[in-house]
Each structure stands twice: as structure tokens, then as C-alpha cells.
Amino acid sequence: MTFPYQEFAREKMPALLADLKDLIAINSVRNMDLATPEFPVGPGPVKALEKFLNIANRDGFQTENIDNYAGVVTFGQGDQELGVAVHVDVVPPDEGWSQDPFTPWVKDGRVFGRGASDNKGPALAAYYALLALKEAGFQPKKKISLIIGTDEETDWVGMKYYLQKSPAPNWVFSPDSSFPIVTCQAGLAVLQTDFIGKEATGLVLDSFSAGQATNMVPAAATAVVSGENLAKIAAAFPDFLAKNSLTGETKETASENGNCLKISLEGVSAHASVPWEGKNGACLLASFLRDFPFTGRAKNFLDFAGDLELEDYYGEKIGIANTDSEMGKSINCPAVFRYQKGQAEACIKSDIRYSRGTSPEKMCQQLNDKFGAFCQTTFQPYQDFEKPHFVASDDPFVKTLLSVYEKQTGQAGETIISAGANYGRFFKNGVGYGPAFPGSLDTAHAIDESVSLAELEKSLAIYAEAIYELTK
């Protein structure tokens, strides 16, 4: 039996677009300040999960909400199970959007809004592939589970909870990655560098702040300084902005301790797996400020952020560089910056996508051996999903997915090694499968995030045939 997969996709796109607009309109950023037993990672992700399950209920699927941590849409029965793992949470929108990130808009064949490409659009493409098969009368010989997570962008607690309640599927693909197929994913670690030492005198760094999530290049950065040289700093800033093609401003205000200068800079956000595609606002602002006579802990913080971390994409300057013959280089993305005068908080959190041959423990030791006189680096406890992940390229599951891709696109398929992270890494036989096509525009985590409607349609057709071939 064969099905007209491209026709399926064309017919389903109007309904997909309507549902996608509704999902984007839900601000599903994790908010632990509002977390309760009812809302484990805050109300937003739960609202998006409920919306997704309501869509599936509307269309006659069996669904289950697993204590507001995760959800599952099931189709078919069998002793073996295919999982399709998606998520409905999103990263916080940085400043600089041209329109409200949670009011979707369509322009030039693309849908704009936070979550359009990561991962609400592709999640719906996979869902509508499943719906098209169901409506066409397909009876799978394996159980198919569309698993919906609520915390993929941060700690993955939703998928962890799901696996505590349900057995892992035999095979899983996640439409939160790239075509042709991602079979190898770098390890993940968040390193936190805390700065120690005496406070500055003379010119004072009162505060420094940038970044909201560790898996994003921070665009906006703000510092407040007081004491000496404020006029010189304000006068020099416009030239720095012009030289680096940046926008920003200074504003002098009064405080209890006299006048202070607020300095704001806007860089360019990007996904932490490709930090060179952005402009790290924090590192750039620190590079500007370090030219002025700060002392003590403030100087150490600014020198580290503005010199060592500036464009150190592979950790060479900070001393954690590592290269594997198959996986390539480890990737370093300093992402969250916090400094507060007179308080313990003075830290940089960095997202590290590491290749085989190193580990979080080893990198912390390297940093502490080199910079321990003025800072200490630790890492957040990590689980198995954060270690490097591999699925053999000759696995029949991989071969089937590659074959479908080649048939639908007419392009040769090959396995990909990725510094990105998707739910595929959570499962022994888990891979990333689309939605990004080779050479396509990738705006995940970026300002004015968007997804191509034409590419969603292509993805939907591929997912429909892949699900059929894997479960017939």
C-alpha cells in the first residue's frame, strides 16, 4: 500500500497553520517563579500542552496528560512502539522583535513568532502526518506515540517524568533537528564560573546583566557604573557601537551614592550550538568596559567576559578546547551574565557542547587550574542524556528514515553529527529528523523566529511516509 504523501501535506496545511497560530499565541516560556504542583514548570507550558492535546482530542485520537509534565497522543497497537518526541515550551524572547513574539504573523511564506520553528511548527507537522494516515485508513502494526514535552529548553524534566511513568519506545525520532538525519549529538554541560575577590574602588561596576537562558547567545546586555570617568565612558560609547555595527545607549541617572551611568547594548541572538551566527551582547559590552580603569573583582569579571570569552567559540582562549576525529570541536557559548556590587552574585554561565575526549569534570578542572586565583568553575549535575549520544548509521531504523528522505527530496541522504540537542538523545535508538533542510534559514532562538510554510509542508509529507514505513 502507498499513500499520496505530498497530497496529504497540501490538504493539511491550512488547518496546521490555524493551529500553529493558536499555539504560538500561548507564551509557553518556563517560569519557575509560578511553578506549583499543578504547574511543574509554570502555567505557560501546561497551557500549550493542554492546547496540543485538545487538538488531538478534536481529531479523535487517544490522549493522555501525564500530570502536566508531558503528554502523549497514541495511534495503533502492537508489542513494539515508535515514538515521535516534540516539545511545546519555548525560550524567552530577547529584546528587539519587530512585533509581539506571541502574536503570530505571516509574511513572505513564513510564519513568525516565538516557537514557530522550535518546536511548535514541526511538532504540528508530525502530528498532521499522523492524522493524515489515520484518516486514510492506515492500521499500523506497531504502537505510535507522539510524546509532548514541556521543558526541553531547560532541564528536560517533562521527558524525564514521562519515562518514569512509561516504558521507552523501541525507536524515536524528534522533529527538532535537521534533515537528512542526526545520529550523533554532542555532550551538553552548563559551566558556572563564579568570580571572587575584593570590590573595585574608584570606577565601580554596580551591576551587569545579560542572558535569560543558557542555550542562547545573549543579545541585550546592560551595565550600571558609578564613580570616576563616567563622562569619558559615555563619550567613547558611540564610536564603539559604530565600529562594531551595534546599537545601544547610555543614560546618566542619580543614585544614593551619586551619579551613575547605565549602558545598554543590543547584539544578535542565536542558538548556543552556533554562537558564531550571533553577536554576544554581553561579551561585547564587557570588551568596551574593560578599557576603563576598573579594579578588583569587577576587572576580573570584565576581562574574562570581554577578552577571554569574546568570540572564543571553541574554548581555546579559556583552555577547554577539545577535538574528536568524528565529532569535531567542542563549542563554547557564554550565555548568562550576572554581576551585583556588594553581593555574592558575580558569575557567567556557559553552554558547552562537548565532543568525545572531555567531560564537565575535566573542563572545570582545566578552568580552575588556569584561573583559580580569581574565579571558580563548577557544573550543574548532569544525567545520561547530556553525555554524547550515538546511533549506528547502519541501523535499519536509520536506513529507513534516510531512504524516505531520499525518495521525497531526490537528494542523497547522509548521517549528521550535531552540536544541537533534541529529545532523540534521551533514547537508546533516538535520532533527530528534520525539520531543517540543508541550506535552509534557521531562526531557532533568534529574534523574529520564523518557519517556512513550504518546508513545513515538505516535512509533513516526509513524516507521514516515515511513520508508515516504520510501522506498516
Side-chain angles (χ1 to χ4, degrees):
M1 179 183 293
T2 59
F3 292 103
Y5 301 108
Q6 286 81 10
E7 184 178 332
F8 281 173
R10 285 192 298 272
E11 291 176 351
K12 293 301 181 187
M13 283 305 295
L16 184 155
L17 177 58
D19 286 337
L20 178 55
K21 288 180 177 179
D22 288 344
L23 270 179
I24 291 173
I26 298 171
N27 180 344
S28 52
V29 175
R30 167 175 129 150
N31 187 342
M32 296 309 291
D33 291 338
L34 299 178
T36 66
E38 182 182 6
F39 303 121
V41 291
V46 173
K47 186 176 180 181
L49 173 64
E50 291 173 340
K51 175 62 181 177
F52 203 109
L53 294 177
N54 286 339
I55 291 170
N57 288 330
R58 174 198 70 193
D59 296 332
F61 282 105
Q62 180 180 344
T63 68
E64 182 182 5
N65 184 328
I66 304 173
D67 301 329
N68 283 341
Y69 280 90
V72 61
V73 178
T74 56
F75 177 47
Q77 296 180 343
D79 295 332
Q80 295 179 309
E81 181 180 4
L82 170 67
V84 181
V86 303
H87 68 92
V88 291
D89 61 302
V90 298
V91 295
D94 219 327
E95 297 178 12
W97 281 67
S98 60
Q99 298 187 41
D100 176 12
F102 299 108
T103 302
W105 71 97
V106 179
K107 181 181 179 181
D108 298 330
R110 303 185 70 87
V111 184
F112 291 78
R114 178 54 91 215
S117 68
D118 187 13
N119 180 234
K120 294 176 178 179
L124 284 172
Y127 168 77
Y128 271 96
L130 199 61
L131 177 61
L133 289 170
K134 181 172 85 74
E135 292 179 343
F138 174 54
Q139 296 293 323
K141 294 182 180 179
K142 300 180 179 71
K143 180 181 179 181
I144 304 167
S145 296
L146 180 66
I147 308 165
I148 307 150
T150 57
D151 190 33
E152 192 270 351
E153 298 293 2
T154 312
D155 292 331
W156 300 33
V157 296
M159 191 59 70
K160 293 176 186 177
Y161 191 84
Y162 173 82
L163 289 173
Q164 291 173 10
K165 300 293 183 179
S166 305
N170 302 87
W171 308 273
V172 173
F173 74 78
S174 178
D176 188 22
S177 187
S178 299
F179 286 122
I181 189 171
V182 172
T183 56
C184 173
Q185 298 184 50
L188 302 177
V190 174
L191 305 187
Q192 177 165 323
T193 300
D194 292 285
F195 292 81
I196 57 179
K198 296 181 179 180
E199 288 291 352
T201 59
L203 181 59
V204 176
L205 181 64
D206 292 289
S207 66
F208 190 106
S209 179
Q212 301 179 69
T214 54
N215 57 1
M216 298 172 63
V217 174
T222 301
V224 177
V225 301
S226 61
E228 305 169 354
N229 296 296
L230 298 188
K232 289 183 179 180
I233 294 173
F237 196 50
D239 287 342
F240 176 84
L241 294 174
K243 180 181 178 181
N244 292 280
S245 300
L246 300 167
T247 60
E249 64 178 7
T250 61
K251 183 178 181 181
E252 189 167 349
T253 59
S255 69
E256 295 179 357
N257 300 320
N259 289 343
C260 59
L261 185 68
K262 180 179 180 180
I263 310 158
S264 301
L265 181 151
E266 188 71 34
V268 178
S269 185
H271 195 285
S273 64
V274 284
W276 46 85
E277 293 185 0
K279 289 186 177 181
N280 193 310
C283 292
L284 287 162
L285 180 55
S287 73
F288 167 72
L289 290 174
R290 66 181 294 269
D291 285 340
F292 296 92
F294 291 92
T295 60
R297 187 175 69 155
K299 176 177 172 56
N300 293 332
F301 176 86
L302 294 172
D303 283 347
F304 198 94
D307 180 18
L308 297 173
E309 292 279 32
L310 180 64
E311 298 181 353
D312 189 27
Y313 304 129
Y314 304 111
E316 295 164 344
K317 289 191 286 185
I318 61 175
I320 62 169
N322 183 73
T323 302
D324 176 77
S325 59
E326 291 182 298
M327 294 186 66
K329 296 180 178 180
S330 295
I331 295 172
N332 170 46
C333 177
V336 178
F337 298 71
R338 297 289 186 268
Y339 187 99
Q340 196 69 36
K341 182 189 70 172
Q343 298 183 14
E345 187 175 49
C347 69
I348 299 172
K349 292 183 180 180
S350 297
D351 180 300
I352 311 295
R353 312 291 167 117
Y354 65 95
S355 52
R356 289 180 300 185
T358 190
S359 67
E361 295 93 339
K362 181 178 179 180
M363 290 183 284
C364 287
Q365 187 64 54
Q366 290 170 322
L367 286 162
N368 291 331
D369 287 347
K370 191 169 184 177
F371 305 110
F374 62 85
C375 62
Q376 289 292 313
T377 300
T378 57
F379 69 95
Q380 295 180 359
Y382 67 102
Q383 305 296 325
D384 287 344
F385 80 90
E386 291 179 318
K387 297 177 182 177
H389 174 74
F390 299 88
V391 177
S393 59
D394 60 354
D395 188 290
F397 172 56
V398 173
K399 287 185 174 181
T400 297
L401 292 175
L402 278 176
S403 175
V404 170
Y405 171 83
E406 291 175 342
K407 178 181 175 182
Q408 292 246 3
T409 65
Q411 303 295 319
E414 62 179 354
T415 58
I416 299 173
I417 297 169
S418 173
N422 63 70
Y423 278 147
R425 71 186 302 130
F426 234 114
F427 303 90
K428 180 180 179 181
N429 292 314
V431 300
Y433 194 51
F437 289 90
S440 65
L441 176 65
D442 183 6
T443 60
H445 297 196
I447 292 169
D448 286 351
E449 176 183 348
S450 66
V451 65
S452 163
L453 288 169
E455 291 183 2
L456 275 185
E457 183 177 321
K458 287 173 62 178
S459 296
L460 196 165
I462 290 172
Y463 295 146
E465 184 169 4
I467 292 170
Y468 170 77
E469 291 293 336
L470 291 166
T471 62
K472 65 182 180 180

